[in-house]
Amino acid sequence: MVTWRSITRTFQQHHAPIRAQVRHLSLLEHHSYNLLKEFKLPVPPGFLVTTPEHAKEVVSDINGSSVIKAQILAGGRGKGKFTSDGKSGVRMVNSPSEAFKSATSMLGYHLKTAQTPEDGLRVDKLYVYKAISIAQEFYIAITFDRQRTSPVLLISSSGGTNIESNVENLHQLWFGLFTGITNEIHAYIQAELGFSDTEMKDVHRILVQMVQLFKEKDATLVELNPLVRTDDGEFVCLDAKFAFDDLARYRQKDIFALEERSPEEEEEYQLAELGLSYVRLDGNIGNIVNGAGLAMATNDLISLYGGRCANFLDVGGGATKEALSKALGILKKDQRVEGILINIYGGIVRCDMIAEAIVAAATGMGGFKCPIVVRLQGTNSEKGLKLVEQTGLDNLIVEAEFEKAAQLIVKQTPGVDL
């Protein structure tokens, strides 16, 4: 599960060298509001709801115009559309009955935006807060410029849903984590965005607190969009997005405990906890292999013979009973998987030990309804294949040759047109 805002992504594409993909934690908006409040950043009072009845109750207590926002890990909600009624993921309501009606057509339905998958994302939570009169919207974010090895402040007077079409108007201001927002940066922002002295005091305080949050929480992105100036001249954060360095998980346990994952991301997370690498694909043949090179070769060979892979699952050197049980368990729960190829090369870990782990895992799970082809090569491979073959478990097939094993699983898998 990784959700990066398109603005910072566009910035980093033009300012950063290509790096290996790193998964970052992102928070839902209601968690972000709580984090902003922790650092004394101004936010409207709001409430998380999961039922239409609760939404109605909250708006009744607010006793005024309210905003309802879908809680998903994607931007562009204001311009997005629900599959239920074609309306957006951010709605203004003026009464409890309107809140009930809107929540009914939002909860349990998918919201499609420019940043979601084609089918959209399911919405199970809404955030409700009192509507605020907006005089102007601003965009402010702090992220890293990897090329300069420096944090950078991005700021624009075109905030809200307009920012993505005005990326070229972003002001880019580099700073040091220890120096923070300097007098020069302060003066530049005031001159370019036209803030009065009184307004700039509030903006400066917000920027200082953003930098503090960025440092203390090991963030890779702190984004306020929009930061609004109200008709009364106050500044309030109406939406916030964060991303955090995955390598800081051990330091930021409270924040990472808030992580919400889709079912696909949950599978990846559980396997990563065991030191396994998992990538979900769109086919129906599951793979369990050891080694990234063997994994890619397995996927390629299955594709060559007319099959489509459901995953890339590398157990590495950890082909233990626990790892294989977890891997097989996840593939068993995946309703798309109609056949599995276990392709293991035994080196330090002998093939007979791998075979024992496969048999123990399969037996402990009560067998499989789909065919499983087991291919073992390397140390004690013949002994390992014999152990698997002698189990008598239904749908467990052995094949020592790589190409024949790939052909066999494609042939044995239902729904594959040969």
Side-chain angles (χ1 to χ4, degrees):
M1 96 21 210
V2 185
T3 353
W4 296 313
R5 295 286 286 189
S6 62
I7 301 149
T8 50
R9 183 172 61 242
T10 300
F11 173 83
Q12 290 171 344
Q13 285 172 348
H14 288 87
H15 292 77
I18 296 174
R19 300 291 181 93
Q21 182 178 357
V22 178
R23 181 170 163 268
H24 296 275
L25 165 69
S26 295
L27 298 181
L28 286 175
E29 184 180 15
H30 66 98
H31 292 315
S32 298
Y33 272 113
N34 290 334
L35 189 55
L36 292 175
K37 286 189 285 187
E38 180 184 338
F39 281 80
K40 296 181 172 50
L41 287 159
V43 297
F47 305 88
L48 184 69
V49 303
T50 56
T51 66
E53 292 78 11
H54 193 191
K56 179 179 180 180
E57 179 184 333
V58 166
V59 173
S60 178
D61 292 340
I62 290 175
N63 193 28
S65 297
S66 304
V67 178
I68 300 180
K69 287 187 175 182
Q71 297 296 284
I72 58 172
L73 291 173
R77 292 169 297 168
K79 290 185 176 180
K81 293 183 178 181
F82 268 94
T83 55
S84 55
D85 58 8
K87 296 182 180 179
S88 82
V90 179
R91 306 187 186 188
M92 179 82 73
V93 295
N94 296 306
S95 68
S97 60
E98 284 186 29
F100 181 87
K101 182 178 179 181
S102 283
T104 300
S105 60
M106 297 170 80
L107 290 167
Y109 293 98
H110 284 67
L111 175 63
K112 298 180 183 181
T113 80
Q115 296 183 27
T116 65
E118 185 177 348
D119 294 335
L121 293 175
R122 179 185 167 96
V123 175
D124 294 309
K125 299 176 182 178
L126 304 172
Y127 193 69
V128 184
Y129 62 85
K130 185 176 181 179
I132 292 175
S133 59
I134 299 174
Q136 188 173 357
E137 296 181 332
F138 301 90
Y139 175 92
I140 304 180
I142 297 175
T143 187
F144 271 112
D145 179 347
R146 292 188 177 92
Q147 191 173 41
R148 296 197 185 194
T149 62
S150 169
V152 58
L153 171 66
L154 307 174
I155 188 166
S156 172
S157 57
S158 298
T161 57
N162 295 320
I163 183 60
E164 295 187 11
S165 59
N166 288 281
V167 176
E168 67 279 0
N169 294 326
L170 279 173
H171 298 280
Q172 304 163 15
L173 302 166
W174 291 264
F175 64 94
L177 284 178
F178 294 103
T179 57
I181 304 302
T182 63
N183 291 335
E184 289 78 11
I185 292 176
H186 177 107
Y188 177 89
I189 291 173
Q190 184 171 11
E192 290 295 321
L193 276 71
F195 292 122
S196 67
D197 290 344
T198 301
E199 291 171 340
M200 196 59 213
K201 287 180 182 178
D202 292 334
V203 172
H204 183 80
R205 182 180 60 80
I206 289 170
L207 293 173
V208 168
Q209 292 304 109
M210 287 179 68
V211 172
Q212 193 68 20
L213 192 163
F214 190 80
K215 288 194 299 185
E216 290 188 17
K217 298 300 183 180
D218 293 295
T220 57
L221 170 67
V222 175
E223 178 190 77
L224 308 182
N225 184 38
L227 172 71
V228 304
R229 183 176 59 210
T230 70
D231 288 339
D232 297 327
E234 297 179 349
F235 287 91
V236 181
C237 308
L238 291 190
D239 195 358
K241 295 293 180 183
F242 296 92
F244 301 90
D245 187 350
D246 196 56
L247 296 177
R249 185 179 291 270
Y250 73 99
R251 281 199 303 264
Q252 306 294 347
K253 293 181 180 179
D254 290 345
I255 286 180
F256 278 85
L258 301 175
E259 185 172 15
E260 299 199 28
R261 296 176 288 269
S262 68
E264 295 83 2
E265 291 171 330
E266 185 63 34
E267 294 168 358
E268 180 184 344
Y269 175 77
Q270 290 178 12
L271 291 169
E273 290 290 288
L274 292 173
L276 312 183
S277 298
Y278 175 87
V279 177
R280 186 180 175 92
L281 303 175
D282 59 1
N284 65 341
I285 297 177
N287 298 310
I288 299 176
V289 300
N290 64 332
L294 186 58
M296 290 187 286
T298 302
N299 277 264
D300 288 345
L301 205 54
I302 286 175
S303 297
L304 178 65
Y305 289 117
R308 295 176 64 205
C309 299
N311 67 272
F312 175 111
L313 204 169
D314 173 17
V315 298
T320 63
K321 179 181 176 181
E322 181 187 14
L324 287 168
S325 293
K326 177 65 73 173
L328 284 168
I330 284 177
L331 293 186
K332 185 176 182 179
K333 288 188 296 182
D334 190 337
Q335 296 181 355
R336 304 169 309 137
V337 173
E338 298 179 289
I340 298 172
L341 173 59
I342 300 176
N343 187 12
I344 303 291
Y345 181 83
I348 297 175
V349 181
R350 303 193 316 269
C351 286
D352 54 330
M353 294 178 62
I354 295 169
E356 290 172 359
I358 292 171
V359 171
T363 303
M365 299 175 66
F368 274 79
K369 293 181 180 179
C370 72
I372 301 179
V373 174
V374 178
R375 184 249 177 181
L376 302 175
Q377 274 294 337
T379 308
N380 291 354
S381 59
E382 291 185 6
K383 184 178 179 181
L385 289 170
K386 193 175 222 182
L387 281 170
V388 175
E389 196 171 22
Q390 290 175 344
T391 62
L393 288 172
D394 292 338
N395 293 325
L396 208 54
I397 307 164
V398 299
E399 175 53 63
E401 295 297 324
F402 189 4
E403 288 194 35
K404 289 183 180 179
Q407 286 178 305
L408 188 55
I409 192 58
V410 171
K411 184 177 179 180
Q412 292 287 326
T413 301
V416 175
D417 298 324
L418 297 176

